[in-house]
Amino acid sequence: MSTAPDRRPPTIDPAAAARWLRWVPAEGSPWLHEEIGRRMEDRLQWIKAQPATWADWSPLHGGLEAHALVSKRYPKAASYVVEQERGLVERTASAVSMPWWSTRRWQGGAARFDSLPETGVDLLWANMALHMAADPQALIGEWHRSVATNGFLMFSCFGPDTVHELRALYARHGWPPAGHEFTDMHDWGDMLVGAGFAEPVMDMERIVLTWATPEAALAELRTLGRNLHPARFAQLRGKGWRRRLGDALSELHGIAENEGRITLTFEIIYGHAFKPAPRVSLSSESAVSLREMRTMLQRGRPG
């Protein structure tokens, strides 16, 4: 008798995930996140819908420059920002605010940090957040509630092939896992449908980054996330560990033009999905939210 594959999200230490959410970038958003945001923003050209409202989910981590690109693409759309950690709101507001002399002030481009509209936003933009969530299924459900009927979600995250070289290195040396496992794009698609989204379209690409020294590699890796695996190293490590790690990273040389440089692969998953009008099969007792009821009344009797 065959069993269905386990499609639950990987186990993540919730306390470590919460610490990552509170982390404040020292010098703006991570470069790789900005590059991924730029590539994701370019995909918007293939979507005909023109949102009247949109929200950026955690842009301080996800990409401040990417936020500006989406604002420029939809200059007439009302813009909202959602920072899950209140401690990041002031920093993000300062980063995305426009100076008094900017003409964008008269183009409706100023971001709002208050609650999203009751009916949701037409576009929810979530760059590089999903793979660092303690409960990604719950986060997808929250995104679904934040998107207006007939609106759409755009998101990106790391895929399971990310830093596979580093994971193998840790295994060879008998160290605990280098990081928590990342979810396959097909499983994300299933979770989107399970949350109520429709027509999910998933895409994937690989980006290879190289560094001249272990110090440079570690400095950039720190900006991209944290190891949320429950079985990671339990204590702080000292200078001796740092030297051993640096020596080990030197084993990760690339080939051809990357020969002699530390080389790591990042699998990037892009996805978008639409939120259809709710279809509720009514029984003798049915629970329907006020928002869903309004939508159904506008459409007529549900099927």
Side-chain angles (χ1 to χ4, degrees):
M1 179 177 176
S2 62
T3 58
D6 186 357
R7 303 220 167 186
R8 292 173 297 175
T11 302
I12 286 176
D13 182 341
R19 286 194 296 272
W20 166 251
L21 285 179
R22 293 192 296 269
W23 176 73
V24 179
E27 299 180 358
S29 306
W31 175 87
L32 181 58
H33 291 190
E34 294 285 17
E35 174 61 21
I36 293 166
R38 184 189 65 77
R39 299 183 185 200
M40 187 164 74
E41 189 275 337
D42 188 60
R43 286 166 162 77
L44 288 172
Q45 67 178 302
W46 308 113
I47 296 180
K48 295 181 180 179
Q50 293 293 310
T53 56
W54 76 284
D56 195 342
W57 195 273
S58 299
L60 191 59
H61 286 177
L64 297 168
E65 294 175 16
H67 175 91
L69 289 175
V70 180
S71 294
K72 183 177 180 181
R73 180 176 290 274
Y74 303 121
K76 297 181 180 180
S79 172
Y80 292 81
V81 167
V82 179
E83 284 291 2
Q84 295 171 278
E85 284 294 324
R86 294 192 61 84
L88 272 61
V89 171
E90 183 177 353
R91 175 73 177 272
T92 306
S94 175
V96 303
S97 64
M98 289 169 286
W100 64 266
W101 44 261
S102 174
T103 57
R104 290 276 315 284
R105 280 182 173 269
W106 291 272
Q107 296 175 1
R112 297 175 56 173
F113 285 77
D114 52 344
S115 299
L116 300 183
E118 181 185 352
T119 55
V121 292
D122 298 326
L123 162 61
L124 182 63
W125 173 273
N127 191 40
M128 300 302 288
L130 193 53
H131 61 277
M132 295 298 293
D135 189 342
Q137 287 182 308
L139 181 57
I140 290 175
E142 189 171 355
W143 288 350
H144 183 266
R145 291 187 293 273
S146 300
V147 176
T149 300
N150 297 321
F152 64 101
L153 164 71
M154 290 283 294
F155 75 94
S156 63
C157 61
F158 284 144
D161 202 34
T162 296
V163 297
H164 65 87
E165 303 95 339
L166 187 63
R167 296 177 189 275
L169 178 72
Y170 270 54
R172 287 198 303 271
H173 286 265
W175 297 334
H180 58 285
E181 297 295 327
F182 297 135
T183 301
D184 181 83
M185 67 177 180
H186 301 293
D187 294 340
W188 286 134
D190 291 343
M191 282 185 254
L192 288 168
V193 172
F197 285 104
E199 303 176 34
V201 176
M202 312 300 296
D203 189 16
M204 182 273 288
E205 68 173 336
R206 290 182 174 86
I207 297 176
V208 176
L209 298 185
T210 69
W211 300 269
T213 66
E215 291 74 21
L218 291 172
E220 182 156 9
L221 288 173
R222 285 193 203 97
T223 71
L224 303 181
R226 294 292 186 270
N227 183 352
L228 306 183
H229 200 294
R232 67 192 185 282
F233 277 110
Q235 291 108 8
L236 295 174
R237 275 84 65 204
K239 294 181 179 179
W241 152 256
R242 178 64 179 271
R243 285 194 299 270
R244 290 194 298 274
L245 177 59
D247 293 341
L249 287 174
S250 298
E251 302 172 18
L252 302 180
H253 288 173
I255 59 175
E257 69 273 14
N258 294 331
E259 180 65 34
R261 296 178 63 86
I262 297 169
T263 304
L264 291 176
T265 302
F266 294 82
E267 179 183 344
I268 314 302
I269 293 174
Y270 303 93
H272 74 262
F274 289 85
K275 179 177 178 178
R279 295 181 62 84
V280 180
S281 298
L282 298 178
S283 59
S284 57
E285 293 185 10
S286 300
V288 182
S289 71
L290 179 61
R291 180 169 154 189
E292 289 177 331
M293 181 61 73
R294 286 173 178 167
T295 302
M296 289 189 294
L297 289 173
Q298 291 171 356
R299 293 176 58 241
R301 185 177 178 180

